[in-house]
Amino acid sequence: MAKAAPAEQLKLLGLQGLDAKLKSLANRRRALENDPRIKDLEAALSVANGELGAAKVAVHDAEAELKRAEADVEQVASRIQRDEARLNSGTGLSKDLVALQKDIASLNKRRSDLEDIELEVMERLDSLRATQARQQGIVDDIQGSFGTIRSELDAELATVEAEASGLRAQRTEFAAGLEPGMLAIYEKTLARRGVGAARLFHGTSEASGMKLSPGDLAEIKAAAADDIVFCPDSGAILVRSEEWA
């Protein structure tokens, strides 16, 4: 059985206290890193960006449609201008001039129809641009919230890390003063069990929170004061004091 002086074993409670604080800080760090608000905002931002992308595509398509409508109107207007110039010149046969007048009337009707289409596209484009602007506002708001929360979390994480860094330095210094063999057993137990050492107080293991059975207590009572004993439930080193029984 591994051995260490009772006074040395008692020092393990101080080391365990530091490790418990470090574990609490590690849990706090994980909680901050996995803040549900971040995941919710990321999901909302993904949806909002998708809708913004769709709005941009709709605006782009409408802009292209407007350019085509404008080109169609311009083409018809140019043709009307040419035909009117020919008509006003008065050159040509009478029947040709009559046909030209009919063509101009038809072209004017065509231009009116095309201008109606152009106007409809312009109105639709205005509406689509307004939708895009609203969606951009939603994305900006989410990104703003994300940035605010991220800054808060980063500040808290920095505080946690600063505290943990100080505790790690304190632990290193404290552990350097412990008996190497006992420390090695503690470290191995801590790694395997999550708790390295705890008091045995009035027959109860503070590692497991359970009262030991009469048989387990009898075995511990039979052990020498410098024997290192373990909690039968948690596996942690049990540190005995004058009140342990």
Side-chain angles (χ1 to χ4, degrees):
M1 181 177 288
K3 292 181 176 290
E8 283 296 305
Q9 292 188 42
L10 195 60
K11 293 178 183 178
L12 290 177
L13 297 179
L15 185 60
Q16 178 60 62
L18 292 172
D19 284 332
K21 290 179 181 178
L22 285 169
K23 184 177 181 179
S24 177
L25 288 173
N27 290 337
R28 176 61 180 157
R29 184 185 301 110
R30 280 193 295 272
L32 290 170
E33 291 172 344
N34 295 285
D35 190 301
R37 292 176 298 170
I38 293 295
K39 291 185 177 180
D40 290 344
L41 285 172
E42 287 176 340
L45 185 59
S46 177
V47 172
N49 274 326
E51 293 179 354
L52 177 59
K56 287 180 177 180
V57 169
V59 167
H60 178 271
D61 290 346
E63 287 174 340
E65 187 178 354
L66 179 60
K67 287 180 180 179
R68 290 193 298 270
E70 290 172 340
D72 290 343
V73 170
E74 185 178 352
Q75 184 179 22
V76 172
S78 296
R79 185 173 172 185
I80 290 172
Q81 187 176 12
R82 289 196 305 271
D83 286 355
E84 285 180 339
R86 287 177 56 194
L87 181 63
N88 293 334
S89 70
T91 59
L93 298 176
S94 176
K95 64 176 183 178
D96 292 336
L97 295 177
V98 171
L100 196 57
Q101 286 178 326
K102 291 182 179 179
D103 285 343
I104 291 172
S106 177
L107 288 170
N108 278 323
K109 176 64 170 61
R110 174 63 175 159
R111 180 170 64 177
S112 177
D113 292 342
L114 289 173
E115 286 174 343
D116 288 343
I117 293 173
E118 180 183 15
L119 181 60
E120 183 276 327
V121 174
M122 290 175 64
E123 292 174 347
R124 179 154 44 87
L125 179 57
D126 286 342
S127 177
L128 291 172
R129 283 173 173 163
T131 298
Q132 178 182 333
R134 287 195 299 272
Q135 197 59 40
Q136 183 67 60
I138 293 172
V139 170
D140 292 344
D141 287 344
I142 294 174
Q143 288 177 332
S145 298
F146 186 92
T148 298
I149 294 174
R150 185 72 268 171
S151 295
E152 292 174 358
L153 293 176
D154 287 345
E156 291 187 55
L157 283 167
T159 300
V160 168
E161 181 52 37
E163 187 176 350
S165 179
L167 282 172
R168 285 193 292 268
Q170 187 179 347
R171 185 191 192 280
T172 298
E173 182 179 357
F174 189 91
L178 300 181
E179 195 280 319
M182 179 189 70
L183 177 61
I185 295 172
Y186 171 88
E187 298 284 19
K188 184 177 180 180
T189 304
L190 178 68
R192 292 179 58 191
R193 307 290 185 173
V195 178
R199 285 197 310 170
L200 177 60
F201 188 71
H202 292 309
T204 297
S205 165
E206 292 188 347
S208 66
M210 302 289 292
K211 189 172 183 63
L212 271 60
S213 68
D216 290 332
L217 287 172
E219 288 185 16
I220 292 174
K221 188 173 183 179
D226 61 351
D227 285 339
I228 295 177
V229 298
F230 298 87
C231 171
D233 296 312
S234 69
I237 296 170
L238 287 177
V239 178
R240 294 160 286 169
S241 62
E242 293 181 357
E243 308 87 5
W244 76 267

